[in-house]
Amino acid sequence: IGSDETGKQGAGGPIIVSSNELVGRDLDDVLVWLKDNDVTYRISRTPDSAPEGEVIDVSPTGTVQLHQRVTVTVSRGPG
């Protein structure tokens, strides 16, 4: 996960978050990336056709300031 264009942009941020790099991934992998880039996050779980534990949405995306919370929506599986 991640590229030269995403992640923490130097000490003190900001952080570039791309849904293209996070959506469709396993939650555990996304959490590692978020923690490595000092992203404050909240997890929301919802029934979805995606497999349980798969990230189905990330908000906000783009430029995120340090300590701005990102919501990661994760599938509970078909409900």
Side-chain angles (χ1 to χ4, degrees):
I1 298 177
S3 68
D4 292 342
E5 299 170 1
T6 61
K8 194 171 181 181
Q9 305 297 300
I15 303 155
I16 308 297
V17 177
S18 171
S19 63
N20 292 339
E21 293 185 8
L22 303 177
V23 171
R25 302 265 188 170
D26 184 77
L27 176 61
D28 291 338
D29 295 335
V30 171
L31 292 180
V32 168
W33 185 88
L34 293 171
K35 290 173 185 175
D36 285 351
N37 286 282
D38 298 326
V39 178
T40 302
Y41 62 88
R42 174 176 100 70
I43 298 171
S44 173
R45 298 180 188 271
T46 190
D48 191 83
S49 61
E52 183 175 356
E54 183 175 302
V55 173
I56 56 175
D57 189 47
V58 179
S59 180
T61 59
T63 302
V64 177
Q65 299 302 317
L66 284 178
H67 307 296
Q68 181 180 354
R69 184 168 45 191
V70 171
T71 299
V72 178
T73 304
V74 181
S75 174
R76 285 189 187 166

